[in-house]
Amino acid sequence: MHKKATNMERKMSYNEKEINLIQFWEDNKIFEKSVDQRSENKPYIFYDGPPFATGLPHYGHILSFVTKDVFPRYWTMKGYRCERKWGWDCHGLPIESICEEALNIRQKNEIYEMGISNFNEFCRSKVLWYTNEWKNTVDRMGKWIEFENSYKTMDNTYMETVWYIFKKIYTEGFVYKGKKVLYYCPRCETPLSNFEISMDNSYKDITEESITAKFKLKEEPSTYLLAWTTTPWTLIGNVALAVNSDQAYVKIKIANESLILIKNQLDLIKDKYEIIEEFKGKELLNKKYEPLYQIATNADGNSYIVIDGGEDVLSEEGTGIIHLALYGEFDYDMIKKYNLPIIQHIDEHGELKSGPKDWIGIWFKNLDEEVLEDLKQRNLLFNSEAYTHSYPFCYRCDTPLMYNALDAWFIDIQRIKPRLLENNRKINWYPKEISKRFQSIIETAPDWCISRNRFWATAMPIWVCEKCNEIKVIGSVKELQENAVEEVPDDLDLHRHIVDEIHLRCPICERVMNRIPEVFDCWLESGSMPYAAKHYPFENVEWFKSNFPSDFVSEYIGQVRAWFYYMHVISTLLFDEIPFKNVVVNGNILAEDGTKMSKSKRNFPDPNLIVEKYGADALRIYLLSSQLMRAEDLNFKEEIVKQVYRRFNLLLINVLRFYSMIEINELTANITTSENILDKWVINLLNVLIRDVSLRMDDYDTAEVSRLFFSFVENLSTWYLKNSRERFKSENLKEKLTAMNTLSYILSNLSKLLAPLVPFISEMIYKKLKDKGLIDLISVHLESWPSFDEKLINPKIHEKMELTREIVKRSLELRENSKIPVRQILQKVVLNGVSLEKEYLDVIARAINVRNVIIENEKEKELLVDLDTEITLELKLEGIARNLIRHLNNYRKKLKLSTKNRIDLYLTTKDKEILKALDIYKEKIKKVIQADNIFKNVENMTDSKQFKIDNNMVEVFIEVKN
Ligand SMILES: [Zn+2]
Ligand SMILES: [Zn+2]
C-alpha cells in the first residue's frame, strides 16, 4: 500500500532531505553493505590520495571528493568490490610552517633550542586538528569512504615501509649523494623542488631594479664588458662572464669609455655612441677582467674570465653577456664545466657571509640596493631601471627564494627514464592529452632530491661511521634492533627525534655510527602509499598480489607532476610496473572572475552555503558536468549551480511529486508493453540513455554523462509528462495504469543510472518507488547497474517524435505571433512535406489544442506548418467552456473538495457568450466539475468567488452537497 506523504515531508527543504538521507545511509550501514555484498574475487582497486588536515577543505577538495566518489560507486553497481579507505598526509613543510607560526618561531635554530623532540611532538598534536571538519564535508558531499582506521603517513607501520622501499632502491644502486643547485627558502632553510614551486604557481610578478654593470677588462684600459642582471646581490659572488661565441658583438665608444655588448641589443644604449669594432663572441673568450668584488681566492686563476655559454646566452635579452655566480642553474652548470670556484657568499639564513665587511649579515634581497649605490659610486654602473619579472616565493612562508648549492641525496631518475616512459604507455589518462604531458614531465625530469633538512617527517635510515665514513642503510625496525647499540622497542617511532638517539657499531672500525640529520621528502612518503598504507611487505603480502596496481586514481592537474609522478617512479623502481591503470585529471577551480580563489579577497561563495541553498547533488553534477573533468580550469559561478538546481533537481522533484500524487493499484516497475506512442518513445529514450551512459562511464567521461542526464530529465518532464497528464488522470483505469507503469519503469531505472553521480536525488526517487511498494531493496545504492534492451531501442520512433516536436514548436510560435492563448481551441493545422501516423498527429492536436491535424501533401520537400487562426463563434464558445471548467476546478481545489464531493453551482455574469457556452456545454461541465445542478444569474450570492473570462466578470458560488 502506498503511504501518503506527510506534511512534515512536504515542508522539508532540499538541504534537510539530503541530510536525512546521510543519516539513513549511516543508520542502515548502506556503504558498508554495498562493499561487503560484492565478492573479494572481483576487486576494483582505488587509491584515495591522502590530503593534509592542516586546513579546511576547499572547492578543490570538494571536487576531488566528488570525482573519487562517482567511479567507485559505478563499479560497485557493476558488481565489483571497491574498498575505500581514507588517509592523511601528516608530514612536511605545510604542517611545520603552521607549527612554527603557532610557536612564534622565526629561525631554524630556535627549533634546536626548544628541542627537536618538543617541536615534533607539537607537530604530532596539531596534524589532525581539522579531521572532524573534513569528515563533515566528506559526508555532506555524499562521498562514501571508510574514515575510521584511516592510514596516516606518520604511522610507524607506514614509515617502516618507506624505510623498506628506500633500502631496496639504495641497495640496487638508484640512490646517490650529491650537490645540487636548488631553489632554497632561507627562512624554512630547506631546498624546494622545482615542481613544488611550479605546482601551485608560486611565481609572482615583482618590479625591482635591474642593473647593467661594467666589468673592466684587465689588458685593455677604459674598456668594459656590459652585463645585465635582475639580482644585483649575486654580483658580489660573480666568478665569470659568459658570451655566445657565434654571435656578433660590438665595441662602442661613449665619451672616453669603450663598452662591449651583443650587436642586436644595441638599441639598449640610449646615449650617443660610435661603433669602433665588430667581432664574433669567440674573440672575447678567456679575456680577464677585474672583479667588482674580489672574493674568489683560488690560486689557479680560473676565475674572472670570459667563457663560452653557447646558445643559452640569448641574443634577445640583456647585453648578450651573462654574469655567473653560484645562484642559478645555468650558472652552476657553467661553474662545473669550467671548473670555476664555488662561492657561497650567502649563508643558510639568507644573509651575506663573505664580501664587503660593512655588509656582512645583511639579508640577500636588501643587498640589491647596497650594490647599486656602491657600483654607482665607483663608476661601475652603466644604468639601472625598474624591471618587472616573475620571481619564485616559498609556497609556505612567502619568502623570496634563492638558488643554493646543497648536499643532498638523490634518486637517479636518468637511469630509469626509459622504463618510466615505457610504463607510461600502459596508463589510461583521462583526458588522453595528459599522457603527452606526463611523458614530457618524465623526459625533462631531473634527479629526485629525496632528502630534506627538516624535522617532522620519516627520518632517513642512513647511519655513517664517525671515523671511517662507512655507510649503513637500515630497512626495517627488526634490522635496526639487530644492529643498534641501544635497546630498540618493536613499536619504534621512526621520527627524527627518536631515531637520532639510536647508534650503530661500525663493522669496519668498530667506532660509533650516527644517523645523518636529514629526513625524507614527504613526496617519497605519499608516492609509497600503495605499499605503506598496507605495511607491505611486513604484512598483507598475499593481499597485495591481487590489489596492485590500482584501477583508478584521480586528482587535480597539479598532481600530475607530483603524486602521480612519484607513485609512478616508485612503482617502476620496485616492480617495473604502473601504479594505476586509469587516472582522471581535473582542472583548477577559480573564482568567478578567473583569478585564484582567495580567502582574504573573499572572491568566492562559502561552499557550505552553496550546499545549504542548492544541495550537494546540484554542486556535484555542476562540477561533474564541467570542463574541470577535461582537466581545464573552471571559473566557479553560483548562478550556474542555481540553474542546474532548477533545471535538473527541481524538475526531477516535480516529476516525483506528480508521480506520488497518483494513486492506483496493481502497479509494477517492470517493463510492460504499451501501445501509446509517448510511452514507446520514452521507453526508447531510456534504453538509449542506459546504453550511452554505460559507455561514457566506462570511459570516465562524466561531463558527457551529465549532459545526457540533463537532456533526458528535460525530455521526461517537459515533453513526456506534459503531454501525458490526461492519461495519468484518466478515468479509464487501464490507460492510467499503463501510463503509471511506464513512469515507474522509467523512474526505477533512472534512479539507478543517477546513483553514482547524484546519490541523494537517486535515493529520493528510489524511496518514492518504495512508497508505492515497487522495490525490495532498502537503498538504490545496493542495486546493480541496469542493462538496456536492444529491442526497445527504436530510432524511427525517436525520429518521428522529433518531427512531432518540431511541428508543435512551430505551431505554438504561430499562436504566439497571433496572440491566441493555447487555451483557445482552434479548428486545424495544415502540414506539408511530412508523413506521420495518426498517433503522432493526436499528440500534435493535444499539444497545440486544435481539432484537426491535416496532412495536405506528404511529398513536399520542406516542412510547412499552417495554423488556421480563425476563431469562429463555435470555437470561441468551446474555448469559453474549457476556461470555465478550468476556473471551476481550481475553485474546487481551493475549497479542498475531493472527487467524491458533489456540488451545486450558482453562476452570475452579464456576458451573453459565456451564458451561451454554459448552455451548449452544460452536460460536459456538470460532469467534469461533479455538479448536480447549475443555476444561472442568481442574485445576492454570499461567499462567492469572482474571475474573468476574456475580460468579462463571472461570479460563482459552490454549494457542497455531501
Ligand atoms: Zn619558506
Ligand atoms: Zn668506521
Side-chain angles (χ1 to χ4, degrees):
M1 265 308 284
H2 130 233
K3 278 176 277 169
K4 260 195 172 169
T6 66
N7 282 334
M8 269 286 285
E9 254 176 280
R10 258 191 221 111
K11 276 180 202 147
M12 225 191 286
S13 72
Y14 197 85
N15 183 40
E16 286 168 310
K17 281 185 193 165
E18 286 193 348
I19 291 171
N20 275 4
L21 285 179
I22 294 168
Q23 195 59 49
F24 166 77
W25 292 330
E26 206 177 303
D27 292 346
N28 292 283
K29 300 202 179 314
I30 303 296
F31 166 52
E32 290 81 351
K33 282 178 188 158
S34 77
V35 176
D36 292 343
Q37 287 174 1
R38 303 294 187 232
S39 159
E40 280 181 29
N41 299 325
K42 204 179 168 189
Y44 177 81
I45 300 140
F46 162 67
Y47 299 154
D48 198 324
F52 281 112
T54 46
L56 293 173
H58 54 60
Y59 279 107
H61 298 120
I62 287 175
L63 170 65
S64 89
F65 296 166
V66 174
T67 317
K68 292 174 187 181
D69 187 56
V70 170
F71 296 103
R73 282 180 185 273
Y74 172 65
W75 290 100
T76 300
M77 290 181 81
K78 298 263 282 188
Y80 291 80
R81 184 187 180 94
C82 181
E83 294 181 9
R84 285 156 264 178
K85 198 167 194 178
W86 189 264
W88 293 110
D89 216 342
C90 304
H91 286 148
L93 270 192
I95 175 68
E96 285 199 27
S97 303
I98 287 167
C99 293
E100 282 179 1
E101 207 164 298
L103 295 164
N104 208 10
I105 287 172
R106 265 178 231 96
Q107 286 217 320
K108 201 173 172 183
N109 59 1
E110 291 171 46
I111 295 175
Y112 293 110
E113 279 160 25
M114 79 176 278
I116 297 173
S117 169
N118 290 331
F119 181 74
N120 274 358
E121 292 306 332
F122 188 77
C123 289
R124 197 199 302 272
S125 74
K126 285 281 177 279
V127 74
L128 297 176
W129 200 245
Y130 288 115
T131 50
N132 284 338
E133 284 81 352
W134 278 74
K135 176 157 173 32
N136 288 342
T137 309
V138 163
D139 285 347
R140 186 60 193 88
M141 287 310 297
K143 177 184 163 82
W144 277 357
I145 191 149
E146 196 187 325
F147 223 89
E148 289 73 37
N149 311 317
S150 51
Y151 69 87
K152 301 168 199 70
T153 59
M154 65 179 182
D155 291 340
N156 294 343
T157 51
Y158 195 101
M159 295 190 288
E160 190 178 27
T161 297
V162 174
W163 276 21
Y164 162 81
I165 290 170
F166 176 74
K167 170 145 193 181
K168 186 160 191 292
I169 58 186
Y170 179 89
T171 311
E172 286 166 11
F174 288 104
V175 177
Y176 69 91
K177 187 183 176 185
K179 216 182 226 326
K180 275 265 161 129
V181 173
L182 294 162
Y183 267 123
Y184 175 85
C185 173
R187 204 210 66 88
C188 301
E189 292 182 28
T190 190
L192 299 169
S193 63
N194 281 334
F195 95 83
E196 277 175 313
I197 296 156
S198 55
M199 186 172 171
D200 293 305
N201 197 11
S202 308
Y203 284 88
K204 285 186 213 169
D205 279 347
I206 54 166
T207 302
E208 50 189 356
E209 286 296 298
S210 71
I211 70 172
T212 303
K214 287 155 59 179
F215 292 82
K216 192 175 188 177
L217 282 175
K218 268 205 165 154
E219 324 250 294
E220 297 172 50
S222 297
T223 301
Y224 299 87
L225 296 160
L226 294 184
W228 175 77
T229 178
T230 57
T231 50
W233 63 271
T234 59
L235 286 170
I236 299 170
N238 168 271
V239 288
L241 296 169
V243 296
N244 182 334
S245 57
D246 294 331
Q247 290 281 328
Y249 284 76
V250 288
K251 186 192 277 184
I252 61 171
K253 195 166 178 93
I254 299 177
N256 53 356
E257 285 181 349
S258 298
L259 306 168
I260 294 169
L261 75 160
I262 203 160
K263 190 187 172 190
N264 31 354
Q265 290 288 78
L266 262 174
D267 54 356
L268 290 177
I269 309 295
K270 302 290 175 240
D271 302 303
K272 229 179 149 182
Y273 62 85
E274 179 195 334
I275 297 177
I276 308 173
E277 218 186 318
E278 183 179 328
F279 45 85
K280 278 273 152 67
K282 59 171 156 273
E283 304 285 320
L284 295 168
L285 298 182
N286 297 317
K287 282 191 191 291
K288 297 208 153 240
Y289 63 90
E290 289 176 11
L292 303 179
Y293 301 94
Q294 177 81 48
I295 54 174
T297 51
N298 59 331
D300 63 4
N302 201 16
S303 58
Y304 308 130
I305 56 163
V306 178
I307 59 144
D308 186 4
E311 283 174 4
D312 287 322
V313 180
L314 298 172
S315 56
E316 59 275 2
E317 198 182 58
T319 58
I321 301 173
I322 294 183
H323 120 74
L324 300 176
L326 188 55
Y327 301 90
E329 261 173 310
F330 170 72
D331 303 47
Y332 186 67
D333 288 345
M334 290 295 121
I335 285 167
K336 276 194 298 189
K337 185 169 173 189
Y338 290 94
N339 197 22
L340 298 160
I342 291 179
I343 294 172
Q344 271 174 294
H345 64 291
I346 305 292
D347 69 11
E348 69 270 30
H349 313 303
E351 292 165 1
L352 187 75
K353 69 175 178 194
S354 48
K357 279 207 176 58
D358 292 352
W359 298 348
I360 299 295
I362 293 181
W363 174 247
F364 73 105
K365 273 276 160 199
N366 293 341
L367 284 168
D368 286 348
E369 224 178 289
E370 303 285 346
V371 168
L372 189 138
E373 272 312 305
D374 179 56
L375 294 182
K376 198 191 263 177
Q377 296 282 326
R378 297 197 278 139
N379 187 30
L380 293 171
L381 181 75
F382 177 72
N383 68 9
S384 70
E385 62 185 345
Y387 179 73
T388 305
H389 62 136
S390 72
Y391 193 89
F393 288 75
C394 177
Y395 70 99
R396 294 310 311 176
C397 71
D398 216 26
T399 301
L401 300 178
M402 56 186 256
Y403 270 113
N404 211 351
L406 298 155
D407 284 340
W409 293 84
F410 294 88
I411 289 181
D412 189 348
I413 297 295
Q414 315 315 318
R415 214 180 111 195
I416 50 154
K417 241 175 214 184
R419 296 310 309 152
L420 292 173
L421 290 168
E422 182 65 33
N423 282 342
N424 179 34
R425 294 198 200 132
K426 294 191 241 164
I427 301 173
N428 297 319
W429 291 90
Y430 302 93
K432 299 203 169 18
E433 308 86 79
I434 306 290
S435 178
K436 268 251 145 57
R437 182 189 289 229
F438 198 59
Q439 182 185 325
S440 98
I441 286 168
I442 296 170
E443 279 165 354
T444 57
D447 286 348
W448 177 7
C449 176
I450 50 166
S451 59
R452 291 289 182 273
N453 304 80
R454 296 296 311 181
F455 308 95
W456 178 241
T458 308
M460 287 183 75
I462 302 176
W463 274 259
V464 181
C465 173
E466 60 179 19
K467 180 145 183 278
C468 72
N469 288 329
E470 170 72 7
I471 285 178
K472 171 95 183 149
V473 174
I474 299 290
S476 68
V477 172
K478 189 159 173 278
E479 189 184 356
L480 188 60
Q481 286 171 329
E482 286 159 7
N483 287 273
V485 174
E486 296 86 0
E487 189 81 8
V488 173
D490 288 342
D491 59 346
L492 182 75
D493 179 346
L494 305 186
H495 285 102
R496 182 174 166 184
H497 59 291
I498 310 284
V499 185
D500 280 354
E501 304 296 317
I502 297 165
H503 306 85
L504 309 186
R505 184 75 61 203
C506 177
I508 310 291
C509 70
E510 299 204 336
R511 294 284 285 267
V512 169
M513 300 180 93
N514 297 303
R515 199 190 69 84
I516 61 165
E518 284 92 344
V519 295
F520 278 122
D521 172 15
C522 57
W523 289 106
L524 184 76
E525 300 176 336
S526 14
S528 304
M529 174 262 154
Y531 332 95
K534 287 286 176 177
H535 199 208
Y536 175 89
F538 304 101
E539 294 174 68
N540 298 309
V541 176
E542 270 310 304
W543 177 91
F544 188 78
K545 280 182 194 158
S546 54
N547 282 272
F548 180 86
S550 151
D551 289 297
F552 167 66
V553 290
S554 169
E555 288 291 341
Y556 86 106
I557 190 139
Q559 296 286 10
V560 172
R561 58 168 68 243
W563 193 49
F564 295 153
Y565 172 72
Y566 292 119
M567 275 206 285
H568 188 64
V569 168
I570 293 175
S571 71
T572 300
L573 280 167
L574 291 181
F575 303 112
D576 191 16
E577 175 61 282
I578 53 170
F580 40 76
K581 296 176 192 162
N582 302 289
V583 47
V584 173
V585 180
N586 299 146
N588 292 295
I589 303 184
L590 304 172
E592 183 151 11
D593 61 2
T595 60
K596 210 169 167 175
M597 280 188 172
S598 148
K599 258 186 214 157
S600 56
K601 281 198 236 157
R602 293 170 185 269
N603 58 357
F604 62 93
D606 180 349
N608 294 319
L609 290 182
I610 291 286
V611 170
E612 223 169 89
K613 273 197 217 167
Y614 313 109
D617 272 351
L619 182 54
R620 282 174 73 110
I621 202 162
Y622 164 66
L623 298 172
L624 291 168
S625 64
S626 72
Q627 72 261 34
L628 284 167
M629 303 308 293
R630 308 226 153 106
E632 290 163 32
D633 293 353
L634 172 78
N635 298 355
F636 186 91
K637 292 195 173 79
E638 177 172 350
E639 185 53 37
I640 312 280
V641 184
K642 191 170 163 185
Q643 278 179 27
V644 167
Y645 174 66
R646 287 194 176 154
R647 290 184 190 166
F648 177 74
N649 300 60
L650 287 191
L651 274 189
L652 266 174
I653 291 289
N654 286 337
V655 171
L656 282 188
R657 195 167 291 155
F658 176 79
Y659 177 74
S660 313
M661 260 167 34
I662 302 202
E663 296 180 36
I664 192 159
N665 293 328
E666 289 170 50
L667 206 55
T668 164
N670 298 328
I671 179 63
T672 49
T673 47
S674 168
E675 288 309 309
N676 180 279
I677 191 62
L678 282 159
D679 286 351
K680 283 192 209 164
W681 171 77
V682 78
I683 289 167
N684 157 72
L685 210 61
L686 176 83
N687 280 277
V688 170
L689 183 74
I690 300 175
R691 182 192 67 193
D692 293 353
V693 166
S694 310
L695 213 65
R696 295 300 181 166
M697 286 298 281
D698 287 347
D699 209 23
Y700 294 85
D701 185 358
T702 59
E704 184 57 21
V705 169
S706 310
R707 201 194 58 75
L708 293 170
F709 284 152
F710 291 155
S711 148
F712 183 84
V713 168
E714 216 219 317
N715 280 327
L716 177 68
S717 158
T718 60
W719 184 254
Y720 175 74
L721 272 194
K722 196 173 172 192
N723 290 293
S724 309
R725 276 179 194 272
E726 284 167 23
R727 284 196 296 132
F728 283 94
K729 294 179 177 171
S730 170
E731 280 174 22
N732 176 339
L733 279 183
K734 192 169 169 243
E735 184 177 64
K736 185 173 173 179
L737 186 62
T738 309
M740 274 300 276
N741 279 344
T742 303
L743 186 54
S744 303
Y745 163 75
I746 298 291
L747 290 176
S748 141
N749 282 283
L750 186 62
S751 70
K752 295 172 203 166
L753 288 176
L754 290 172
L757 269 73
V758 276
F760 294 95
I761 199 154
S762 60
E763 191 78 300
M764 291 179 205
I765 300 172
Y766 200 78
K767 277 181 178 296
K768 292 291 178 202
L769 295 161
K770 205 168 171 57
D771 286 347
K772 292 209 186 286
L774 299 177
I775 298 293
D776 294 330
L777 296 180
I778 185 171
S779 163
V780 69
H781 301 292
L782 299 177
E783 281 281 1
S784 294
W785 189 251
S787 51
F788 66 95
D789 185 345
E790 194 71 58
K791 289 198 292 292
L792 295 172
I793 295 180
N794 187 339
K796 270 266 165 314
I797 293 182
H798 186 69
E799 222 170 85
K800 287 181 180 171
M801 194 59 88
E802 285 299 296
L803 191 57
T804 302
R805 294 177 80 170
E806 177 62 23
I807 293 164
V808 167
K809 187 175 144 242
R810 288 205 211 170
S811 305
L812 292 177
E813 276 165 15
L814 290 171
R815 262 186 184 274
E816 180 131 0
N817 291 343
S818 41
K819 302 206 167 20
I820 304 171
V822 185
R823 281 198 301 278
Q824 176 59 57
I825 190 160
L826 291 174
Q827 192 57 42
K828 63 178 189 288
V829 67
V830 180
L831 308 174
N832 274 289
V834 59
S835 163
L836 283 172
E837 285 84 358
K838 182 173 179 299
E839 49 192 350
Y840 296 96
L841 303 184
D842 289 347
V843 173
I844 296 173
R846 265 199 312 278
I848 66 174
N849 197 15
V850 294
R851 281 190 180 152
N852 300 299
V853 181
I854 298 160
I855 296 180
E856 206 171 64
N857 188 351
E858 288 184 3
K859 303 283 177 253
E860 209 72 44
K861 274 202 178 107
E862 204 185 336
L863 171 66
L864 286 173
V865 178
D866 184 12
L867 186 70
D868 181 353
T869 53
E870 193 200 343
I871 305 171
T872 60
L873 180 64
E874 191 213 347
L875 288 172
K876 191 169 183 199
L877 293 181
E878 189 178 340
I880 290 172
R882 287 194 188 197
N883 231 332
L884 269 176
I885 290 172
R886 187 173 56 88
H887 279 292
L888 293 169
N889 264 339
N890 282 346
Y891 191 28
R892 279 186 65 106
K893 227 181 252 172
K894 215 174 150 205
L895 295 172
K896 297 198 164 62
L897 300 185
S898 87
T899 45
K900 287 171 195 128
N901 292 118
R902 304 295 302 176
I903 60 166
D904 278 351
L905 175 72
Y906 298 80
L907 182 147
T908 299
T909 182
K910 291 201 173 82
D911 185 70
K912 292 206 171 91
E913 284 179 346
I914 297 176
L915 291 170
K916 192 154 187 199
L918 199 58
D919 279 345
I920 294 175
Y921 293 98
K922 192 170 186 175
E923 286 316 308
K924 184 175 181 195
I925 295 172
K926 273 166 74 176
K927 189 178 167 205
V928 175
I929 67 167
Q930 278 116 2
D932 292 338
N933 301 291
I934 298 181
F935 302 103
K936 282 185 288 186
N937 281 350
V938 185
E939 279 176 26
N940 300 328
M941 287 194 290
T942 49
D943 284 339
S944 66
K945 180 181 161 55
Q946 296 183 340
F947 53 81
K948 275 180 179 172
I949 290 179
D950 300 337
N951 279 323
N952 296 304
M953 188 60 76
V954 180
E955 192 179 358
V956 293
F957 169 69
I958 281 178
E959 187 184 351
V960 185
K961 302 179 78 181
N962 57 344

